[in-house]
Amino acid sequence: TNIGRVKIATHYGGFRVSAVGFAASPSLFCSNVFFAASHDGILTLNYVVMHPLIPATTRDRVAQRTRTILEAAVGTAGNDASRCGAG
């Protein structure tokens, strides 16, 4: 699912919203789910799997392949600005 481009203020007093993202629990009808949102030029992508129905090796392979595709699309392979956490 995709909430798209979230248009909210980025500063609230002394606080700054640096990214917006969301995720929900998969169900019996959907064992792995992607959630996407962008805010202030930052894409947040969450990949949620139902473990042990989806093995960790599959989860990690899908996460790494998705990262590779996104990095190739924006030309950031190896760039410190590219952040990804798997696990």
Side-chain angles (χ1 to χ4, degrees):
T1 186
N2 180 2
I3 62 173
R5 186 174 300 153
V6 179
K7 296 180 182 181
I8 60 173
T10 58
H11 290 85
Y12 296 92
F15 297 96
R16 179 178 182 274
V17 176
S18 60
V20 175
F22 72 103
S25 178
S27 69
L28 292 175
F29 301 108
C30 188
S31 57
N32 62 90
V33 188
F34 280 95
F35 300 92
S38 62
H39 170 65
D40 199 25
I42 297 172
L43 170 67
T44 301
L45 180 65
N46 294 302
Y47 176 52
V48 180
V49 300
M50 190 180 293
H51 184 77
L53 189 59
I54 303 295
T57 53
T58 300
R59 175 204 64 206
D60 293 347
R61 187 179 72 245
V62 170
Q64 185 56 52
R65 180 70 179 133
T66 301
R67 180 180 178 162
T68 299
I69 291 167
L70 291 171
E71 287 177 338
V74 296
T76 61
N79 186 334
D80 288 340
S82 172
R83 300 177 307 189
C84 178

